[in-house]
Amino acid sequence: MGAETNTEKKIPNLAKFALGGTAGMMATCVVQPLDLIKNRMQIGEYKTSGAAVKGVIAKEGPLALYKGLSAGLLRQATYTTTRLGIYTYLIERFASQPGQNQSFAVKAAFGMLAGAAGAFVGTPAEVALIRMTSDGRLPPAERRNYKNVFNALTRITTEEGVTTLWRGAVPTIGRAVVVNAAQLASYSQAKEMLMTTGYFKENIMLHFCASMISGLITTMASMPVDIVKTRIQNMRTIDGKPEFSGVLDVVGKLMKNEGVFALWKGFLPYYTRLGPHTVLTFICLEELNRLYKKYL
């Protein structure tokens, strides 16, 4: 990411997509419990991350922290594979010469396009993930009890219709546009700025610092959209009527009932999840790229 080199160009586009998805899946294996805690807080079950961790373990057991892992992995295999693959392709495709650095505005635009495409492809897995990580808060009689992500996708299709797999697609794409414009562009830009200080060179420390900067910026920008998305994807139909009529209805009810700052509810677990996930994804991606170029 960031400044591309001639050796970088030797990695085929198909391999770039595969390496991006693999990096995202590796990161998800580490941060899945944080994703579950974030989702539980955003749907209003717990007020603090500490209470969420204690409550989930007490009620459902420690393994419940990894509930929905299969959906999280499928989401990365679809969403991250698409967004990172498209972003790296666009950065290279529209560079006038090898190694040229694009402007921040161009990087942000490429991030938006990549994020929108990735979000559309990854929404079904996202819907399954939200439901699986939220299932434990429901009374036993109302739980969906999906066995795994494929069981979830099959049941959602047969019980609620195939279009339900793309429920919340608009806010999901909106969130992805914001996330990727912030995350991908800020990571590339942070790497370039850190390199100019003279204290950094192309290594894991550079990748770590650039990732942490990117994670913080992305968290602040994307949380409101993420909360709206989570509420819509987790909503139930009551007496034949959906809980929310749309994005504006969610925002209005959220601000009226819980206050403006409810749009950033779960900031700590969100950043605690997104920060390490950003760090691990980019570090894994950089290392996988290095290993690919070295051995393949």
Side-chain angles (χ1 to χ4, degrees):
M1 313 287 294
E4 302 290 340
T5 65
N6 284 312
T7 53
E8 184 95 23
K9 286 224 171 196
K10 294 181 180 179
I11 300 179
N13 289 325
L14 184 60
K16 285 182 176 292
F17 278 78
L19 293 175
T22 301
M25 293 172 74
M26 292 169 69
T28 291
C29 288
V30 178
V31 304
Q32 179 65 20
L34 300 173
D35 206 24
L36 182 139
I37 295 304
K38 182 262 297 182
N39 287 340
R40 293 293 183 89
M41 290 183 68
Q42 289 185 343
I43 60 177
E45 185 179 5
Y46 298 102
K47 293 184 178 180
T48 67
S49 54
V53 172
K54 292 179 182 178
V56 170
I57 293 177
K59 296 177 183 177
E60 305 167 54
L63 292 180
L65 292 172
Y66 272 91
K67 187 174 290 184
L69 178 60
S70 61
L73 292 174
L74 181 62
R75 179 179 180 274
Q76 294 300 320
T78 51
Y79 168 65
T80 300
T81 296
T82 303
R83 74 184 181 105
L84 290 181
I86 290 178
Y87 181 75
T88 52
Y89 169 77
L90 290 174
I91 286 290
E92 288 185 4
R93 174 67 178 78
F94 293 98
S96 60
Q97 55 186 348
Q100 180 193 44
N101 292 326
Q102 303 283 2
S103 69
F104 182 81
V106 171
K107 292 170 187 169
F110 288 166
M112 289 179 182
L113 290 172
F120 182 80
V121 174
T123 293
E126 179 91 8
V127 171
L129 175 63
I130 294 296
R131 291 189 175 196
M132 292 175 74
T133 55
S134 304
D135 208 36
R137 69 180 287 267
L138 299 173
E142 297 180 21
R143 292 177 186 173
R144 298 179 176 102
N145 294 317
Y146 299 134
K147 296 178 182 178
N148 53 56
V149 65
F150 300 108
N151 176 248
L153 296 176
T154 301
R155 283 182 50 191
I156 290 171
T157 301
T158 56
E159 296 171 9
E160 304 173 58
V162 68
T163 56
T164 305
L165 293 175
W166 277 270
R167 175 181 287 173
V170 172
T172 299
I173 291 173
R175 172 189 177 275
V177 166
V178 173
V179 166
N180 286 277
Q183 187 184 65
L184 299 179
S186 64
Y187 177 74
S188 298
Q189 197 71 21
K191 275 186 66 177
E192 291 174 17
M193 293 177 66
L194 290 172
M195 288 283 283
T196 61
T197 65
Y199 295 104
F200 292 88
K201 58 183 179 179
E202 191 69 39
N203 56 26
I204 288 182
M205 180 56 68
L206 171 66
H207 304 155
F208 174 81
C209 293
S211 299
M212 289 302 292
I213 294 171
S214 173
L216 182 60
I217 293 172
T218 305
T219 299
M220 292 187 293
S222 66
M223 269 212 75
V225 186
D226 189 68
I227 287 178
V228 171
K229 173 195 71 67
T230 299
R231 294 289 178 104
I232 289 178
Q233 290 180 327
N234 193 56
M235 72 177 177
R236 303 186 69 83
T237 300
I238 303 172
D239 296 327
K241 184 179 180 181
E243 187 177 357
F244 303 108
S245 61
V247 172
L248 294 179
D249 187 40
V250 176
V251 174
K253 290 180 177 177
L254 193 63
M255 294 176 66
K256 179 181 178 180
N257 298 330
E258 303 176 45
V260 175
F261 290 106
L263 292 170
W264 284 270
K265 179 178 288 185
F267 182 91
L268 181 59
Y270 188 90
Y271 177 66
T272 304
R273 182 262 181 197
L274 185 63
H277 194 276
T278 300
V279 171
L280 291 170
T281 297
F282 284 130
I283 286 180
C284 288
L285 180 59
E286 300 275 12
E287 287 301 301
L288 288 172
N289 283 337
R290 183 183 66 81
L291 292 173
Y292 184 95
K293 289 185 290 184
K294 181 176 181 179
Y295 295 107
L296 299 177

